[in-house]
Each structure stands twice: as C-alpha cells, then as structure tokens.
Amino acid sequence: MISQVPFEHGLILAGALFALGLIGVMVRRNIIFILLSIEVMLNASGLAFVVSGSRWGQPDGQIMFIFILAMAAAEVSVGLALVIRLYHLYQSLDADRASRMRG
Amino acid sequence: MNAPFYIAAVVAFLSTFMVVTRRNAVHALLYLVVSLLSVALVFFLLGAPFVAALEVIIYAGAIMVLFVFVIMMLNIGRQTAEQEREWLNPEIWLGPAVLTLVLAGELIYVLSRMHGRAYALSVVSPKQVGIALLGPYVLGVELASMLLLAGLVGAFHLGRREGTGGERRP
Amino acid sequence: MRTLLWLIPALPFAGFFVLAVFGARLREKGVAAIGAGSVGVSAVLAILAGISFITSPPPGGSWTQTLWTWIGVDGFRPAIAFYLDALSLVMTLVVTFVGFLIHLYATEFMSDDEGYSRFFAYMNLFVGSMLTLVLADNLLLLYLGWEGVGLCSYLLIGFWYKDPANGSAAMKAFIVTRIGDAAMAVGLFLIFMNLGTLNIQEIMQKASHTWPRGSGLAVAAAALLLGGALGKSAQLPLQTWLPDAMAGPTPVSALIHAATMVTAGVYLIARTNVLFLLAPPVQAAVAIIGAATLLLAGFSALTQRDIKRVLAYSTISQIGYMFLALGVGAWSAAIFHFMTHAFFKALLFLGAGAVILAMEHEHDMFRMGGLRKELPVTFWTFLIGSASLSALPLVTAGFYSKDLILWYSWSSENGSPWLWAAGLAGALLTSIYTFRMVFLTFFGERKKEAGRRPGRVMTIPLVALAVLSVIGGFAELPRTLGNMPVFSEFVNTVLPPVKAAGEAQSAEAAMQVVTSFVSLAGVYVAYLLFLRKRRYVEGLAATRTGRALHRLWFSGWAFDWVYDRALVQPFFWIARINRDDFVDLFYDGIAWYNGFFHGALSLTQSGKVRWYAMGIALGTVIMVGIAVVLL
C-alpha cells in the first residue's frame, strides 16, 4: 500500500505542523502547552526527515527520526520535571512568571 | 491511491491546530495523540513502517502518558482553563501568527518551485533501518543513550522534592 | 690610593642606606656617627686622593676609574665611571670637606629634632649624589647626580613638612629647577645625536673637530646646557626658587643652597668649557646673565629682613660673579671663587644658624641686635665670613677670588668695561648688605636675650671655616701681590687659560686699589646708614620712590609676581575652563552609547521564554527570507 505522493507535499505537511507548533510556543503562556507545542515541532521535523529518507529509499531519514525521538523523550522528562518544580515555586504554570533572569 | 495520505495530512493539521488552541490541557493532549497517530499513518504510507510503529508506541504512548501524569499531579482544572481564556486574546495571537505565516509562506514558496512530480516510493524495511542504525550510526546510538541517561538523572534530580528525595537535608 | 676613588661617593650612599633602613632604631649618637662619619671618611679619602694626585700626577693629568657599564644599547654605552682631574678634585675636596664640617655642625644643630635620622639620611644621599655629579666621567652619570641633588634639595627644603609653606617652597624649587633640567636633558639628546657619545672627554675632543666655532649646533648645545645650569645655580631668570629654599634647616641652606649644589651649574659650564668656547654668543650670554644677576640679587639683598634671605640673595649674587667669570673665559677664577665662596658662605650660614638658634628661631634681623657680647665666637667667625664676602682687601679669601674675576672682566678678551662696572657696583652692594646684616644682628641695642649658645661641636666647624675663609685666598696670589698663582696653575691643567688682552701690571694694581676702596666704602656706608644714622635710611625708605623701590627689591624684582601672572594664572585659567577635559567628551560619548545600547538590549532580556522563542522565530524568518531572495 505505497502511495505516490509528491515529495513536496510531505514537506509542506511537515512545515505546516512545524508552523503550528511554533505559534503555540510563542502564544501560549501555560508551560504545559509550550511543551506540547515543542513536541509538535519535534514531530514535524522528524516527519521532514522521514519524507526525505523515503524520497530516495534510504534508511537514514528514519534513523534521524529515531534520534529525534530519543531526544524528545529526554527533553520531555527533564521539561516536565522542571514544570513540577516551577509549579511548586510559583503555584502557577505561567511561563512569564519565571522571569527572574530579566536584564 | 494518494487519498489516504491527504486525508491523514488534513487530520494531522486540524488536530494539531486544536492542540495549540485548546484551553483544557487534557483536551489538547488528546488532540495531540490524534495528530501523532495521523503522522504515524503518514509514515506508514511513505514506506516507513518501523518509525510508524515507534511513533505510536513511544510518542503517542510513552511520552503522552508522561504528560497525563504531570497534568494529573498538578491537578489542572477549570480554574486554569478560565485563566487560559484571559491569556488567549487575539492581540497575543496576532504577532506570532503573522510571523509564522510568513515563515510558512516562505517554505511553501521554496517548495513550490520544485517540480511537483510524484515518484514511486519503496518500503524501507525495519531490517535495513536496524542494520544502518547499528552500523554506520552506532556512535549516534551511543550518544543518544548518554543523552537519555542525562535526561534520567536530570529528571530525577529536578523532580525530587527538597528534603525528601535525597540523602542531604538542607 | 686611586683604586679607592669609588669609595668617596659610595660611603655617603652607604650611610644613606643604613640610616634609611635602620635609622629609626638608632639613637641620636649612632645616627650622628654614621651620618657625619661617612662623609668624614669620604673627606679623608678625598684628601689622600688629592695628595697622591699632586705628588705623582697621572699621565695626561686625569685618571678614570670605570666600575661597570651602565647600559649597553647599540653603541650607547655609558659607564659608571669616575673621572678625577684637577677640576673634579677641587670640587670633591670642597664638597667632602665643607660637607663634613656642616654635617658635624648639624649633629648638634639638629639634636632633639624628631626627624634626626631622616635628616642625616637625606644629607648623606645629597653628598653621595653631589660627588657622583662631580666625579662623573659622562654626562648621563652627571645627570643622575644632578637629579639626585635636585631630589635631596626638594626633600630637605620640605624637611619640616608639617608646615605647608615649607612643602610649597620645596615644590617651587623642584619645579623651577626642573625647567632648566628639561633643557639640559634636551641638550644631552642633541649632543648624543650629533657626536654619538656622552663621555665628557670624548665630547670635548669631537666637538672641537666636528663643530666649527659659532656653528648653530654648538650654540644650541651650549645654550641648552646653560639652561640646566641657570636652573640649578639660581641665575636669571630661574633664580626665584632659591630665596624660598631657605625654608629648610640652616645646615641644608649652608650645604646645598650655598656651598655645593647651587654651584653645580658653574661646574657644568667649566666641565664642558669647549662647548662654550665654540659658542661665543652663549658665552657672552653667560657673562651678561651673571652680571645682571649679581646686580639684581644685590639690590634685593639690601632690603631683606630675614637673615637667611639676605644670605640667599647674596648666594645668587656671588654665583652671578662666577658666571661672569665663566662668561669672560676666566675659568680658573670662577672655580677659585666657587671654592672661597663655599668656605665663607657656609660659614655665614652656619653662623646665622647659631644666631637663629640663640634667638629661638627668630629670623628677622630687626628683632635682633647687640649679640656681639652674647655670642662672641659666633660674632667673630661671622665677622670674618662677612669680611670675606665683602672682599675686604688682603686678609680675606673673598678679596683674592673676587678681585681676580673683576680684573679679568676688564682685561680678558671677552671682558668689557660694562661688565667690570657691573661687578664693581655689585661689590659695593655686597659689602653694604653684608655689613648691614652684621650691624643689625650683632651691634646696636640688645632686643632679645640670647638663649641656647652653640656648643663645642657647632663651634669647631665655625672656626675651621673661618680659618679657611682667611687662608683659602692665599692659594692664588695675584701678580701684584707676590705672584703665586698656585691654584690657577693647578686647575689650568684641565681648563683653558684666560685669554688676557695683556694689560699692564700697573693697571691691575690700580684696579685692586679701586676694588679695595669700593668694598671699604660699602662697609662705611653700611656703618653710617644702619648703625649711626638710621633716620637717613628711614627717610629714604619713606619717600614715594623709596617705598616703591623697597617693595620691588624686597620681592626680588617682582619675578614671582610676573611668573604668577604670566604662567601660573593662565595655567589655572585654562585648567578651570577645561575642567571637564574636552578630550574626555569623546570617551564619555563612547561610554554613553555603550550605556544606551546596554539599556536597549537589556530590554530584550525580559526573562520570558516566549519572547526568546519569538526572537528565534524572527531570526529564522529573516534568514530564510534572505535565502529565498538569493536563491
């Protein structure tokens, strides 16, 4: 069940998902949503790799996706731990509250 | 034969849109699962069954469960959703949306200048992926394992509460 | 004996180091023993060196002891080397011997001063530096000694530093002499640039080969060296510092500001005589400056009330005589007058110090009087010194040296009746102001009880110097009086002889009679005006011109006022205008822009993660945009 999709359409889908994730990171103030948006962006970049890999029938794209997956797992575990700490610190999930490093 | 891809793509796009716009975290999470599943379908259609399986198991499975646990722990309820309503006014949306649309427009412009020609896709089997992964990319695997270890240690360190998790009491 | 030459300057330096490091822990006796002893041993060594120099003269009339090479840079190799010839021997003997007597005097004079060891440390440093200056075989080492004595002069003028006036007098001396020293440094550069050496003997040889008589470079080099000499020797127009330098302790005034340091300029000109012979206009200027200075300082000395300031102006005036002698080419006469002047002026200062001590630090002569009976030894020695300063005929050293200068200012090739007349007028002024001082201090009615009498240690130097002030002159008997020019024959092994126009012996005799008469007349005038008929001088001072002249002379011809208006005030004015240094505007501008951009950029550092994400996104948009446009 192999589809005959133009390579560019896959990439456009990846770009669109990435753009949505980016909007989410910039717009949302809730840290949970920011993390979710980051997941979306990582997933979109992984999709771009897989699309490119399948264009030439090579496994490298999928391997890059696996690495991204590993990275995303590590990132989420640390990120969520930070969320918990932040919530204990500020009693809030507002990312803008954690701005002690402003210049 | 291309219909499944486009349907999956539209589903992925719409559900991701819902992820970004929801006020309730659990709802957003569910939409994200949908989005990830549809991307997994796209992977399958593009001839990458191995990563499609990984997408379902790890992304839609393991990572999302982590989110669920955290949301449950923090007990985010109606109150937070109300707050989200305040935070999500159109003025906040406008700037980032324009910026991102410009970016997306640029991408699409670049891609559209390529020749939109369909070509035959071939399945890249899990065996091929495995051989490549533990052959030329073995160093990357080692690095990824170290990264995961660091993530593990970091999450443990950050996640424990002061005075309860460690041996040292401040 | 000659191999010990280096010890002569080294001993005072050693004394300085010992006193500087351990002085605070030593008792007064120990400090005195080290301070005066080191100079005393130097004096003994210098006498021994002089005896061996005279009994077995070295070939060429000079002897060099090279210790080590100071610097070696591309052909420039000044050595730490001492050069002994007749000229430097005379200077060394005077510096060590008079220096020792003054140190001895100071051991008592300075007793109970809290800075006792500091005083002797500075004094030893001074003697060491002065000997370095005198014995140096190259101009760089000479310059080191030159600056060393300048430093000691500064330190000792401001010795009682708790009074700010002393500090500013010290700074004045330092800064004014620095003007001359800067000129001298430039002169050294010029000489090295053109002759490629700073060794004095090499300079003398090369200069007469390279530079024709009267050439521009020779004139420039001589003029720049003269600038240094003018500053150090307090000659016109840099003489203003010396009267203020009397703020230091009296032994300092005797040693530094009368006997030795201020005559360094005379020594420098005599040492580099070839350069001055190659530059006739500069040599003429030396004579004219000398004549002008001796007159101006003489008039100023007439009006001073402070006994030490009288002596200070007198010193300026007497050095003016030495410059006059140098200017007319009577080199040996200048050095001879330097020697006798060192004796009698040191004596006068030490005597004045004894008087001041007895009067409980009263300097004003008009509040003294009648001390003849109270301080007999001081009186008699002071009288001998005054007689020598006034050049009373036949029995005083000052007569022989000053007479020689006056005679040559008339008869030598460069001499002129005008210079002679100036010198003669100066001689009259000298005896008037000297005996004015004597009469005001020691004669008349007693106005104040004498307190502390000078003890034995202070008396010995007074007597020794008084003896020298009498017999010092017999080293050179003129043609008319025995014709035994021992001193000039000795010194002329180094210095060129006087180019006399060959006047008759009878003319010289006539001149001596005139000079003797003038100095005696001066004494009589002083007797008349200041002892017998005080109302004359008071009436004279009461007239309008008299008052104006008195004020002008009292202030030292208003040089300080002129310099203040011409140099100091404009400087302050510019400093006031430029308080916010306009060069700083540029740097302040840089600082301001940095601050501004810092403020602007720190606004972006909001601490909000979403802003950073936005920044990244914006950057990406721009980068991709550029890529899209370029593709």
Side-chain angles (χ1 to χ4, degrees):
Chain A
M1 204 173 89
I2 300 298
S3 56
Q4 302 261 310
V5 190
F7 164 59
E8 295 74 28
H9 292 182
L11 286 184
I12 285 170
L13 175 62
L17 293 180
F18 187 87
L20 282 171
L22 188 59
I23 289 178
V25 169
M26 286 188 281
V27 170
R28 305 304 298 250
R29 284 175 74 168
N30 192 320
I31 305 176
I32 297 278
F33 281 90
I34 290 174
L35 279 176
L36 284 176
S37 302
I38 288 173
E39 291 307 312
V40 169
M41 286 166 74
L42 284 170
N43 194 40
S45 58
L47 175 62
F49 272 114
V50 173
V51 169
S52 309
S54 69
R55 160 73 175 78
W56 285 281
Q58 294 296 318
D60 304 67
Q62 296 189 31
I63 286 164
M64 289 317 291
F65 179 81
I66 291 167
F67 288 153
I68 288 170
L69 203 61
M71 206 278 286
E75 179 260 329
V76 159
S77 58
V78 175
L80 288 173
L82 279 171
V83 167
I84 293 167
R85 288 304 291 258
L86 275 174
Y87 190 77
H88 283 304
L89 210 58
Y90 296 107
Q91 303 302 322
S92 158
L93 286 172
D94 186 357
D96 289 359
R97 291 276 300 274
S99 61
R100 236 192 263 167
M101 283 179 78
R102 71 173 167 274
Chain B
M1 277 301 281
N2 292 340
F5 171 83
Y6 292 110
I7 292 165
V10 169
V11 170
F13 184 82
L14 287 177
S15 57
T16 308
F17 182 78
M18 297 305 267
V19 170
V20 177
T21 53
R22 285 311 84 189
R23 295 200 189 107
N24 191 316
V26 180
H27 296 175
L29 205 57
L30 290 173
Y31 276 116
L32 185 58
V33 172
V34 174
S35 164
L36 292 172
L37 287 175
S38 53
V39 171
L41 182 61
V42 168
F43 286 162
F44 190 76
L45 291 172
L46 288 173
F50 181 55
V51 292
L54 283 182
E55 177 94 356
V56 172
I57 295 164
I58 295 177
Y59 250 129
I63 293 179
M64 288 309 113
V65 168
L66 262 181
F67 272 98
V68 170
F69 274 142
V70 170
I71 289 166
M72 280 165 59
M73 268 174 73
L74 298 181
N75 198 13
I76 301 167
R78 195 171 303 277
Q79 206 179 355
T80 339
E82 286 302 311
Q83 203 175 21
E84 288 292 321
R85 192 205 300 280
E86 283 170 34
W87 288 349
L88 286 179
N89 50 356
E91 285 137 50
I92 285 180
W93 276 101
L94 196 66
V98 168
L99 212 59
T100 317
L101 283 178
V102 171
L103 188 61
E106 280 172 340
L107 270 176
I108 291 165
Y109 170 72
V110 170
L111 292 173
S112 68
R113 280 169 59 187
M114 296 177 173
H115 308 292
R117 190 165 51 81
Y119 50 90
L121 290 169
S122 60
V123 176
V124 180
S125 67
K127 186 179 177 185
Q128 279 173 286
V129 175
I131 288 169
L133 191 62
L134 296 177
Y137 288 102
V138 72
L139 193 64
V141 173
E142 292 299 330
L143 286 174
S145 68
M146 271 198 260
L147 180 69
L148 287 168
L149 183 65
L152 180 70
V153 173
F156 171 74
H157 177 74
L158 291 167
R160 74 176 177 170
R161 266 193 213 154
E162 307 240 342
T164 57
E167 297 80 14
R168 272 185 308 131
R169 282 168 189 280
Chain C
M1 190 53 237
R2 284 175 203 156
T3 46
L4 293 179
L5 183 61
W6 64 275
L7 269 176
I8 297 175
L11 278 170
F13 277 130
F16 161 69
F17 277 115
V18 171
L19 290 177
V21 178
F22 304 109
R25 287 181 218 159
L26 292 171
R27 279 190 300 176
E28 274 201 3
K29 278 203 168 151
V31 171
I34 293 169
S38 61
V39 182
V41 176
S42 271
V44 170
L45 284 172
I47 290 166
L48 291 176
I51 289 169
S52 91
F53 188 88
I54 290 163
T55 51
S56 55
S62 70
W63 191 72
T64 311
Q65 184 180 34
T66 306
L67 296 179
W68 66 83
T69 303
W70 186 0
I71 311 167
V73 184
D74 191 28
F76 177 56
R77 302 182 68 81
I80 301 284
F82 297 125
Y83 178 85
L84 190 71
D85 63 2
L87 177 59
S88 54
L89 179 62
V90 169
M91 297 293 290
T92 308
L93 282 171
V94 172
V95 169
T96 52
F97 196 67
V98 175
F100 169 65
L101 289 177
I102 294 171
H103 273 74
L104 195 63
Y105 175 91
T107 54
E108 187 185 319
F109 185 86
M110 294 301 290
S111 58
D112 304 327
D113 194 286
E114 57 182 329
Y116 196 74
S117 67
R118 188 164 58 92
F119 178 81
F120 278 99
Y122 290 165
M123 289 287 268
N124 276 6
L125 181 64
F126 168 77
V127 173
S129 303
M130 188 70 201
L131 289 169
T132 311
L133 191 165
V134 166
L135 287 169
D137 99 315
N138 60 66
L139 284 178
L140 197 64
L141 188 59
L142 187 147
Y143 195 70
L144 178 73
W146 188 274
E147 294 298 330
V149 294
L151 170 70
C152 293
S153 167
Y154 166 79
L155 291 171
L156 285 164
I157 293 170
F159 180 74
W160 288 313
Y161 55 87
K162 282 175 186 161
D163 183 354
N166 295 346
S168 57
M171 274 194 284
K172 184 176 176 187
F174 198 70
I175 291 165
V176 173
T177 52
R178 210 60 39 220
I179 296 168
D181 293 357
M184 183 175 164
V186 176
L188 297 195
F189 299 149
L190 184 79
I191 288 169
F192 182 73
M193 277 288 289
N194 287 283
L195 300 178
T197 178
L198 282 179
N199 184 294
I200 295 168
Q201 303 311 312
E202 285 175 25
I203 289 172
M204 297 299 113
Q205 280 167 8
K206 282 192 182 170
S208 46
H209 292 148
T210 351
W211 288 336
R213 199 172 141 85
S215 73
L217 278 174
V219 170
L224 288 166
L225 288 185
L226 175 63
L230 290 183
K232 201 57 113 192
S233 291
Q235 297 294 292
L236 225 56
L238 299 177
Q239 84 286 23
T240 55
W241 64 270
L242 190 57
D244 289 344
M246 296 302 125
T250 307
V252 171
S253 309
L255 179 61
I256 302 185
H257 304 116
T260 55
M261 184 192 85
V262 287
T263 52
V266 178
Y267 172 74
L268 178 72
I269 294 177
R271 185 90 271 179
T272 57
N273 56 68
V274 176
L275 288 177
F276 285 84
L277 287 175
L278 287 174
V282 179
Q283 208 188 351
V286 172
I288 292 165
I289 289 171
T293 310
L294 75 90
L295 279 178
L296 294 186
F299 279 117
S300 285
L302 268 182
T303 54
Q304 300 302 317
R305 299 173 70 93
D306 182 335
I307 187 168
K308 282 181 75 181
R309 282 179 87 90
V310 175
L311 290 171
Y313 278 111
S314 153
T315 304
I316 298 175
S317 172
Q318 297 306 307
I319 298 169
Y321 273 107
M322 295 177 212
F323 269 63
L324 175 63
L326 295 170
V328 299
W331 310 99
S332 57
I335 299 302
F336 187 42
H337 194 56
F338 149 74
M339 188 178 84
T340 57
H341 174 257
F343 295 149
F344 63 67
K345 190 52 68 61
L347 169 61
L348 286 172
F349 263 114
L350 297 188
V355 169
I356 290 166
L357 212 56
M359 293 278 103
E360 283 149 4
H361 296 280
E362 176 60 62
H363 283 209
D364 191 342
M365 292 189 296
F366 286 90
R367 296 196 194 142
M368 303 172 184
L371 291 174
R372 190 166 31 131
K373 299 261 169 54
E374 306 257 344
L375 306 164
V377 180
T378 312
F379 166 65
W380 284 110
T381 51
F382 198 86
L383 190 66
I384 292 169
S386 302
S388 200
L389 174 59
S390 317
L392 296 189
L394 299 181
V395 290
T396 63
F399 169 71
Y400 293 98
S401 58
K402 200 179 281 182
D403 176 61
L404 208 58
I405 292 174
L406 286 174
W407 165 240
Y408 284 131
S409 69
W410 172 279
S411 69
S412 88
E413 247 180 15
N414 300 333
S416 84
W418 289 108
L419 294 176
W420 175 77
L424 199 64
L428 181 66
L429 287 172
T430 308
S431 49
I432 294 175
Y433 69 68
T434 310
F435 277 90
R436 169 180 176 262
M437 178 170 66
V438 172
F439 291 142
L440 286 176
T441 313
F442 291 100
F443 290 83
E445 70 218 50
R446 206 164 64 189
K447 290 172 186 156
K448 194 173 173 188
E449 284 292 316
R452 189 172 149 188
R453 304 284 197 287
R456 194 147 36 112
V457 182
M458 271 168 76
T459 312
I460 291 168
L462 288 175
V463 173
L465 285 169
V467 170
L468 283 171
S469 298
V470 173
I471 65 163
F474 301 138
E476 171 97 2
L477 295 177
R479 284 191 295 176
T480 48
L481 297 163
N483 194 16
M484 276 168 50
V486 182
F487 186 85
S488 52
E489 268 175 17
F490 178 60
V491 178
N492 279 349
T493 54
V494 188
L495 298 168
V498 191
K499 288 185 201 144
E503 295 274 342
Q505 196 169 331
S506 57
E508 190 176 345
M511 203 82 66
Q512 277 161 352
V513 172
V514 172
T515 336
S516 312
F517 174 75
V518 162
S519 62
L520 288 171
V523 177
Y524 181 70
V525 169
Y527 169 73
L528 206 62
L529 290 182
F530 295 101
L531 207 56
R532 296 297 299 273
K533 305 273 166 64
R534 280 291 286 277
R535 61 177 189 279
Y536 285 177
V537 71
E538 274 155 15
L540 209 59
T543 62
R544 212 160 149 220
T545 26
R547 247 199 333 264
L549 269 181
H550 185 271
R551 269 183 60 202
L552 182 64
W553 292 349
F554 186 73
S555 67
W557 295 84
F559 268 94
D560 281 331
W561 184 83
V562 170
Y563 288 162
D564 186 59
R565 287 298 147 89
L567 300 169
V568 179
Q569 294 301 334
F571 183 80
F572 279 151
W573 182 70
I574 291 170
R576 243 194 326 274
I577 288 182
N578 197 19
R579 183 170 290 239
D580 313 310
D581 194 358
F582 68 89
V583 176
D584 272 1
L585 282 180
F586 176 67
Y587 297 103
D588 286 346
I590 290 179
W592 186 86
Y593 278 109
N594 270 316
F596 173 76
F597 284 119
H598 158 78
L601 287 175
S602 73
L603 284 180
T604 66
Q605 189 81 8
S606 61
K608 293 177 182 172
V609 184
R610 299 182 309 134
W611 275 100
Y612 303 161
M614 196 98 86
I616 294 169
L618 188 65
T620 318
V621 167
I622 292 167
M623 297 284 272
V624 175
I626 289 169
V628 166
V629 169
L630 289 181
L631 278 172

